[in-house]
Amino acid sequence: MGTQFVTDIKGNKTAVIIPFDEWERTEKAKDILEHIYLAGIIKERRDTKSTLNLDDLIDAEGLTRADLES
């Protein structure tokens, strides 16, 4: 089975159906790229000072320290 396109009444492509093994390879590649991207961000920020302390972050998220302990 190859790639199949789903179209609307006007013939515009609205979705695609791909073989499962191809989808799995795409998902694995996406995970690897995400890790590479995050590693780059970590490397860039390694020597920078945090602009937000934990208490400010907890407040910004509408949480309390007790929420973190549960």
Side-chain angles (χ1 to χ4, degrees), residues 12-58:
N12 298 314
K13 294 175 185 174
T14 59
V16 64
I17 301 170
I18 61 171
F20 185 73
D21 61 335
E22 186 174 333
W23 177 82
E24 276 187 318
R25 284 193 310 274
T26 302
E27 287 298 302
K28 287 178 184 176
K30 185 178 76 171
D31 288 343
I32 291 167
L33 289 173
E34 183 177 13
H35 284 97
I36 292 169
Y37 172 75
L38 293 174
I41 290 174
I42 291 167
K43 185 177 180 181
E44 284 177 9
R45 296 180 181 179
R46 183 166 293 159
D47 296 325
T48 61
K49 183 176 170 129
S50 175
T51 58
L52 205 61
N53 66 37
L54 180 58
D55 290 321
D56 291 340
L57 180 60
I58 290 171

Side-chain angles (χ1 to χ4, degrees), residues 1 9 19 45:
M1 177 178 144
I9 199 161
R45 296 180 181 179

